[in-house]
Each structure stands twice: as C-alpha cells, then as structure tokens.
Amino acid sequence: MQKVTKAVFPVAGFGTRFLPATKAMPKELLPIIDKPIIQFAVEEAASAGIDTMVFVTGRSKRSVEDHFDANFELEYALSQKGKDAEAKMVHDVIPPHIKCVFVRQAEQLGLGHAVLCARPVVGDAPFAVLLADDFMLQKQGSATRDLVKGFEKTGKSMLCVSQVEPDQVNKYGIVAPGKRGAGAGIDVQGIVEKPSIDQAPSHLASFGRYVLDGRIFDILEKTKPGKGGEIQLVDAINELAVRGDVRAIEFGGTRFDCGDKLGYLKAITAMALTSDIFGDDYKAFLSGLIK
C-alpha cells in the first residue's frame, strides 16, 4: 500500500467574507491568537507523517509563501536582541524535513479545479487535502492522521464526516452512508453537493479533510462544472463512491468554520480558554462581560 506523503492546501480564494482585512492579506494568514490558520493545518498534516505540502495559490497570495519561507534577517535581528525563543519560533515554522511547493491556480474554477492544479506535483500518488478554513480540535491525534491510517489500511479514499442539523445540509457535501466497517469507518455509497433537505441522503456532512486516491485526477480532468458553475470535488468523489472506493470516518472533535466571522471568533475563544498563560484571566474577563 502506498504511503500518504503529500498534502494539498487550496488557498487561492479571495476571502471576501473578511473584507477589508483580506484586501491585502490572505484569509489563511488570519491568526488564531498568534498563529495563522494555515499553519495549524500544516502542522496537522506533518503530525500525520506527511512531508510535502503543496499550496495551490492565486494572485496576491505571495505572503503565504513568505510565511513558510526562511527569514534569516528576522532570526538574526531577534538573536541580536537576546530574543532566542522568538528566533527559534520563526525558524521552526517549518521543520527541516518538510518540503513546501507552490502551484498557481490562474483562474478560480472551483475546489475540484484547485485540487487538479496540484497534479503535476502529486502525480498519481494518494494525497491529503486540508481546507484551512475548517479549524479542527481533537483531544488525541487529528482528523488527517485518522484518514491517513484509514487509507493505508483499506486503500480507499477517506472522508471526514460529522452529523449536521437539518437546516445545515444545504451547505455541505452530504454522504449516502452504507455499512460500517471494523475500525475503518463507514462505506460511502455516494455524495451530493449541497442538497436541499428533502433530497439529502443523510445528515452526514463531509468537510475540511480528505485523503484521496490519485485516480481522482483522471476523474477531475473529465468533470464538468456543477453547482455554482464550478468544478466540484464532491462530484469526482461521488464517482469513486459509486465504484465502492470511498469510506468515511466520523470526526470525534470540535470543528470551527473559520471562513465565517462567528466561527472564527469561536475558534479564537476556544483556543484562548485553553491557554496555560492567560486562559483563567480570559475566562474571568468573559464572565465579567456576560454579567
């Protein structure tokens, strides 16, 4: 069984819901306290054993590349001021064994197209896809690690899923679940992009994390624009699913939609409350505001 060693991060979007903050700064660099959202996703991929990070970028996204590049001048300046801990933090944004590759998506034609842009780097190997907007906290391990293990056990593409409320099904790809397997999730018989509640095959939504067989690139090459006039990744996954080649693992943690302002605020609050440094003070501050 092939190992999963590459992860794709689609980061070409405009981030219009966060304007004017994202006029000059990519939304993926918005911080959760002091760390950009995209860095959390990269660290999750690295902890799952992935060593090649493929960023699918667009215009004005050069700062994403700069964030993961070395900055010797800054490290030197910090060291000269005795700020060795800060210098080490800057140096360790990417561990030495991690390789970053940047691919340009010239035109935004949908998530499926963004993933397809990574093919020259990924080849026909299995790979993970992480959507940084989905900020995911789990007590042990991570969604990506679970999906990688599932793929390496079954050889099937893996989806991260969770139950959503009925009024939320039209915002996600909704899976048609089959039988549950021992230790490797649920069979996926199909998946529908943003169905109405009366057409939804379940309330199990796929989001944010995928591990996909490299064969999906051939399908994406032939996939016609779907919902919203875009090439939908869900449509290609559905074709694999009807062949019996997709499984899903239910996410056991907490997910925050950081593409949404309220979701972003919730993620910051959740992280702040867990801080060993200021968590108690922040909790007391919130309690005071509520009173």
Side-chain angles (χ1 to χ4, degrees):
M1 185 66 63
Q2 283 184 292
K3 293 286 186 180
V4 180
T5 63
K6 296 180 175 67
V8 174
F9 302 85
V11 294
F14 290 124
T16 53
R17 284 186 284 180
F18 282 87
L19 287 169
T22 51
K23 179 183 176 183
M25 179 179 71
K27 65 177 179 176
E28 294 81 15
L29 292 183
L30 290 172
I32 303 293
I33 305 178
D34 59 358
K35 186 185 294 186
I37 296 171
I38 186 66
Q39 190 173 332
F40 283 98
V42 169
E43 289 175 356
E44 180 181 328
S47 72
I50 292 168
D51 59 19
T52 302
M53 313 297 173
V54 185
F55 300 87
V56 181
T57 69
R59 293 186 63 188
S60 77
K61 294 301 180 96
R62 179 60 187 268
S63 51
V64 175
E65 185 172 351
D66 289 343
H67 178 73
F68 291 105
D69 199 0
N71 190 329
F72 300 113
E73 294 86 354
L74 177 58
E75 291 177 36
Y76 178 77
L78 290 169
S79 297
Q80 289 296 104
K81 294 179 180 180
K83 297 182 177 181
D84 295 330
E86 290 84 349
K88 185 177 187 304
M89 183 190 305
V90 171
H91 181 77
D92 292 344
V93 165
I94 285 289
H97 72 285
I98 297 294
K99 179 180 181 181
C100 293
V101 182
F102 296 86
V103 178
R104 178 66 67 92
Q105 184 185 20
E107 186 178 1
Q108 293 183 33
L109 299 175
L111 179 57
H113 180 261
V115 170
L116 183 59
C117 288
R119 187 174 199 175
V121 179
V122 175
D124 295 323
F127 61 101
V129 176
L130 291 88
L131 307 184
D133 282 358
D134 282 313
F135 184 74
M136 299 164 72
L137 298 177
Q138 194 167 312
K139 287 185 178 180
Q140 292 184 335
S142 70
T144 300
R145 184 181 297 181
D146 292 342
L147 297 179
V148 167
K149 288 181 178 178
F151 176 85
E152 292 178 351
K153 180 177 181 179
T154 66
K156 296 185 178 184
S157 293
M158 305 294 297
L159 309 180
C160 180
V161 299
S162 184
Q163 293 282 349
V164 296
E165 295 298 323
D167 63 350
Q168 297 291 304
V169 298
N170 63 347
K171 297 180 179 180
Y172 301 97
I174 302 296
V175 306
K179 64 180 181 179
R180 293 180 179 269
I186 308 163
D187 280 329
V188 176
Q189 298 176 335
I191 181 169
V192 183
E193 177 69 2
K194 298 178 180 178
S196 60
I197 183 60
D198 59 314
Q199 295 179 325
S202 73
H203 293 169
L204 271 179
S206 167
F207 55 82
R209 304 292 186 271
Y210 313 80
V211 169
L212 303 173
D213 189 299
R215 290 177 296 170
I216 200 166
F217 286 127
D218 289 333
I219 299 172
L220 285 169
E221 289 275 10
K222 302 171 185 175
T223 299
K224 296 180 180 179
K227 205 145 201 170
E230 298 181 334
I231 297 173
Q232 299 290 348
L233 181 62
V234 161
D235 292 342
I237 293 173
N238 182 64
E239 189 165 329
L240 286 176
V242 297
R243 300 177 189 174
D245 290 334
V246 180
R247 295 185 69 83
I249 294 177
E250 291 193 68
F251 179 56
T254 304
R255 166 186 169 267
F256 301 94
D257 180 5
C258 287
D260 171 80
K261 292 175 184 176
L262 180 58
Y264 177 60
L265 289 173
K266 288 179 178 179
I268 293 172
T269 299
M271 290 298 290
L273 289 172
T274 63
S275 171
D276 293 333
I277 300 172
F278 52 77
D280 290 340
D281 289 340
Y282 188 66
K283 184 176 182 180
F285 169 71
L286 291 179
S287 297
L289 284 180
I290 293 169
K291 289 178 181 178

